[in-house]
Amino acid sequence: MSNRNALPGFNLSLGYTLTWLSLIVLIPLAAVFIKTAELTLEQFWYVVTTPRVMASYKLTFGASLAAAAINAVFGLLLAWSLVRYNFPGKKIVDSLVDLPFALPTAVAGIALTALWAGNGWIGRIIEPLGIKVAFTPLGVLLALVFIGLPFVVRTVQPVLEDLEVEIEEAATSLGANRWQTIRLVIFPTLFPALLTGFALAFARAVGEYGSVIFIAGNIPLVSEITPLMIITKLEQYDYRGATAIAAVMLVVSFILLITINSLQAWTAKRTGKSK
């Protein structure tokens, strides 16, 4: 048997890949922890547990998880509609799904604020009813839903396109009702892709800044997000404090993403065995 690699120049390609990955990802991440290590344990604990920072953690991670969950539900419904139904304006709707990818985040934040503020087109209607969106945690959630929706739709859509309608028809012919078909046939196939979309939407939401900063209002202990705390520390030339908060975000994000990806791999393996 030949020892030649299937990919010509594999060793050289791998070397370039690892070098590029180190320069772009690994070294900057390592620099965060190295800079944070300049703090003593007591200093680190004080920086990352002040009331304003703790409130920002709760808002950032809580709103990100909630936004990803909302996008998982409505992104699945939107992907299903785009794949399984034909309706007027379908191509336009399909194109609009990618709008958060193309739109600068600051523009998205300004647009959302203009719509949902007290004097905005929608805000002036709902605020007299007691529903305030702009400059509240609800506004943060709205912005994170906006920027995260495409990740779920574009992840689930190809799987739905490969899922043949005949499978549903076969389940129906065997006596399954609609709910049983969805629960036992469709959902197990879509679940790994749905989890991937959820993880991507969550990861994007955790680090989002531009589209959130305007509609959040940045009220201390109410609507300040963690990336804003990092920016504030940098503006104060407190680089060790900024990296300390960033390190906490990195660790928590990695734990959540590893958990989600492990669940995704387990689900895919279980689904493969069931088939």
Side-chain angles (χ1 to χ4, degrees):
M1 181 179 295
S2 175
N3 291 326
R4 293 178 58 190
N5 291 317
L7 179 65
F10 174 77
N11 293 330
L12 182 61
S13 300
L14 180 61
Y16 277 126
T17 301
L18 294 178
T19 301
W20 185 253
L21 179 66
S22 299
L23 291 173
I24 300 300
V25 179
L26 299 181
I27 293 177
L29 291 182
V32 170
F33 292 100
I34 292 173
K35 191 68 178 179
T36 303
E38 296 178 3
L39 295 170
T40 65
L41 186 59
E42 291 182 358
Q43 291 173 329
F44 171 80
W45 186 253
Y46 175 78
V47 169
V48 301
T49 58
T50 59
R52 285 183 66 180
V53 175
M54 292 297 293
S56 74
Y57 293 150
K58 293 178 182 178
L59 177 60
T60 298
F61 289 106
S64 297
L65 284 171
I70 292 171
N71 282 327
V73 175
F74 290 98
L76 174 60
L77 295 177
L78 181 55
W80 183 276
S81 300
L82 291 173
V83 172
R84 293 300 173 88
Y85 301 107
N86 291 316
F87 52 88
K90 177 180 176 179
K91 290 185 178 180
I92 296 176
V93 174
D94 192 39
S95 300
L96 288 176
V97 169
D98 294 326
L99 183 61
F101 286 151
L103 197 65
T105 56
V107 175
I110 294 172
L112 290 172
T113 306
L115 284 174
W116 295 93
N119 58 350
W121 292 351
I122 301 177
R124 69 179 63 179
I125 298 174
I126 64 173
E127 282 206 8
L129 302 176
I131 304 173
K132 186 175 182 181
V133 175
F135 316 130
T136 68
L138 185 58
V140 175
L141 177 63
L142 177 67
L144 297 182
V145 169
F146 174 79
I147 57 97
L149 180 64
F151 290 95
V152 177
V153 176
R154 294 311 185 206
T155 305
V156 174
Q157 199 170 1
V159 181
L160 272 175
E161 290 172 350
D162 293 337
L163 185 63
E164 299 178 355
V165 181
E166 287 77 9
I167 297 177
E168 302 172 40
E169 295 175 348
T172 303
S173 67
L174 292 173
N177 56 36
R178 289 185 177 182
W179 171 244
Q180 289 174 326
T181 301
I182 293 173
R183 181 170 59 89
L184 300 176
V185 178
I186 298 174
F187 190 71
T189 304
L190 296 179
F191 191 57
L194 191 62
L195 269 180
T196 300
F198 176 91
L200 292 173
F202 168 76
R204 170 67 190 275
V206 166
E208 182 60 22
Y209 180 79
S211 63
V212 176
I213 202 67
F214 294 100
I215 197 171
N218 311 319
I219 303 172
L221 302 175
V222 176
S223 59
E224 286 183 324
I225 56 174
T226 306
L228 176 63
M229 294 289 97
I230 297 174
I231 295 297
T232 302
K233 292 288 186 181
L234 291 175
E235 290 176 346
Q236 297 170 352
Y237 301 101
D238 184 6
Y239 300 118
R240 293 182 298 180
T243 56
I245 299 173
V248 172
M249 289 192 69
L250 280 173
V251 171
V252 175
S253 298
F254 278 139
I255 292 173
L256 289 172
L257 289 177
I258 289 172
T259 302
I260 293 170
N261 289 332
S262 299
L263 180 59
Q264 177 195 0
W266 175 79
T267 304
K269 183 177 180 181
R270 183 181 178 186
T271 304
K273 287 183 177 180
S274 64
K275 292 180 179 180

